[in-house]
Amino acid sequence: METIKLTQFSHGGGCGCKIAPAVLKDILAQAAPLGGFPDLLVGTETSDDAAVYRLNDEQAIVATTDFFMPIVDDAFDFGRIAATNALSDIYAMGGKPLFALAIVGMPVGKLPVETIRGILAGGEAVCRAAGIPVAGGHSIDAPEPIYGLVGIGVVHPAHIKRNSGARAGDVLILGKPLGVGILSAALKKGTLSADGYRHMVETTTQLNTVGAELGRLDGVHAMTDVTGFALLGHLLEIARGSKLAARIDWSRVPKIAEAVTLAEAGVATGAADRNWASYGHEVDVEAGIADWQRKFLCDPQTSGGLLVACEAGTEETVRALFRRHGFAEAATIGELDAGEPRVRVA
C-alpha cells in the first residue's frame, strides 16, 4: 500500500472536484419543481446542505450524499476524510447521524484489494467515532477512485438550521481554519511539509459534531458547512437565501499557517479560479486585499468548518460550544445586515 499513490489515478481531489457553481446552476436550471410535498421541509430551493423530510411533529429525516476522488495518497486517510466530509452535511442542518451507506467506485485491477479495503476501513473508523454503522452501500468498477457516503440522520423539525434563516444584525462564526485546498495543491507538487500534511488530515477528519447542539440554540439562525464552493461561495448562499448583505474581515478569518505561506508564494488551486469566475460579480473586495488573499477565500475546503449566523447575544455561547467540541480556532469573522445579497471583504 505504501507504493500506491491514490492521487495519480484522479484528475482532481476532494471537494475541489465539485462542478463549478455557475455550471451547476445551468445544469439544474430545468430541474422539476418540488411542489406538492408538504412534508419536504428542505429541498433544493436554496442549495442547502441536505434534504429534510418531516415524519411527525417531533422527528424529521435528514438525508445527504457526498463523494469525491482522493485528496491524499494514503488509503485510510482518504476514507476518513471522505466520510467526515459526508457526515458534515447532517450536522450542518442541526441533525444527528443515524447510519450511512457507502458509495464506492474503484479502478479494479489497477488498485490492490488491500488499498480499496483500506479506504473503506477509514470510512468505517469515522462512522464508529460518530456512533453510527455503515449499513450497506453500492460499488462499481470505475476509471478513477471514488468514495463517499450517503448519510441519514434525524432532527427535531423546530431545530432545523437552514442556510436561509439568517437575520440582519447576526454575526458570522467559522469553526475551522481555511487553507485545505492550498495544502492539497502543495501535496500534489511534493512541496507540503510533514507538519502541513498532519494538519490537513487533522482538520479534515474532525467531525462537526457541534452542529447537533448548535441546532438546539434559538439564537442560531442559519448554518452551513464550508466545502467546495469555498468560504465566499457558501457565505453567498446564506446571503442570497436570507436576502441580506454579508461582510467578512480578512484579519479575523482563521487560517492554516502553512497554507498562508504557500498562498503568498503563489500556490493556488484551479478550483479557486473557477469559483471566482462563478460568483466574483457578487463579491466586493476592498483595495487592501491582495490577489492571493482573494484566491484564499475562494479556496475549496474539503471537510471544512461550520459557518454559523447567530444573534450577537448568542455569540459567546456558540464559540464556547465550538471550543468544547475541540474547535480551538473557531472565530467570529463578520456580520450580516440589511442590503443587497452580496459579500464584502475588508
Side-chain angles (χ1 to χ4, degrees):
M1 292 177 64
E2 288 75 17
T3 61
I4 296 295
K5 288 188 175 295
L6 285 174
T7 54
Q8 75 183 12
F9 291 92
S10 58
H11 72 279
C15 287
C17 299
K18 290 179 76 168
I19 295 173
V23 177
L24 184 61
K25 182 179 179 181
D26 288 342
I27 292 171
L28 298 178
Q30 302 303 316
L34 294 176
F37 299 93
D39 288 317
L40 182 63
L41 303 181
V42 181
T44 60
E45 300 81 9
T46 62
S47 302
D48 223 320
D49 296 290
V52 183
Y53 192 91
R54 177 173 50 207
L55 297 178
N56 52 55
D57 290 343
E58 296 186 353
Q59 293 176 311
I61 290 293
V62 186
T64 185
T65 183
D66 213 314
F67 51 89
F68 46 60
M69 292 167 283
I71 188 176
V72 294
D73 290 319
D74 182 83
F76 189 73
D77 284 345
F78 170 43
R80 292 168 65 210
I81 293 167
T84 305
N85 179 76
L87 294 181
S88 183
D89 288 337
I90 301 289
Y91 296 121
M93 302 304 299
K96 180 179 179 181
L98 294 175
F99 65 93
L101 304 174
I103 299 170
V104 183
M106 294 291 155
V108 178
K110 295 181 180 179
L111 283 182
V113 170
E114 292 82 4
T115 299
I116 299 173
R117 179 60 208 146
I119 294 169
L120 271 60
E124 291 162 359
V126 163
C127 288
R128 282 196 301 273
I132 65 169
V134 179
H138 185 66
S139 61
I140 62 169
D141 189 346
E144 296 178 294
I146 297 169
Y147 177 69
L149 299 176
V150 172
I152 304 296
V154 66
V155 67
H156 192 293
H159 298 157
I160 298 167
K161 299 303 178 185
R162 297 171 173 84
N163 65 0
S164 57
R167 303 177 190 177
D170 280 355
V171 298
L172 294 163
I173 300 173
L174 179 62
K176 291 183 183 181
L178 301 183
V180 168
I182 292 164
L183 297 183
S184 68
L187 178 66
K188 275 200 166 186
K189 294 178 179 180
T191 59
L192 185 65
S193 72
D195 281 346
Y197 181 82
R198 176 186 54 77
H199 199 153
M200 181 173 73
V201 172
E202 284 179 356
T203 189
T204 54
T205 57
Q206 185 176 16
L207 285 162
N208 282 318
T209 51
V210 65
E213 289 192 58
L214 291 171
R216 296 194 288 270
L217 294 179
D218 291 338
V220 171
H221 299 144
M223 191 157 58
T224 190
D225 62 343
V226 177
T227 54
F229 297 159
L231 175 60
L232 290 183
H234 292 288
L235 178 52
L236 269 169
E237 290 177 339
I238 289 179
R240 294 182 196 124
S242 306
K243 298 179 174 58
L244 296 171
R247 178 187 181 278
I248 58 173
D249 183 340
W250 163 263
S251 67
R252 300 168 72 186
V253 174
K255 313 165 193 73
I256 299 171
E258 185 163 340
V260 171
T261 301
L262 290 164
E264 288 179 312
V267 177
T269 63
D273 289 333
R274 292 195 297 273
N275 280 338
W276 181 255
S278 293
Y279 54 64
H281 61 285
E282 298 176 82
V283 179
D284 301 310
V285 180
E286 294 195 354
I289 302 298
D291 194 54
W292 72 265
Q293 294 169 315
R294 175 188 62 78
K295 288 187 177 184
F296 202 100
L297 297 174
C298 296
D299 184 48
Q301 301 302 289
T302 299
S303 191
L306 295 180
L307 178 61
V308 178
C310 67
E311 61 187 34
T314 311
E315 176 183 355
E316 288 307 315
T317 301
V318 170
R319 290 176 62 169
L321 271 177
F322 270 115
R323 289 192 297 271
R324 186 155 62 81
H325 281 259
F327 297 91
E329 297 182 70
T332 302
I333 64 168
E335 59 276 329
L336 292 152
D337 213 336
E340 180 186 358
R342 298 181 66 84
V343 174
R344 182 161 65 93
V345 181

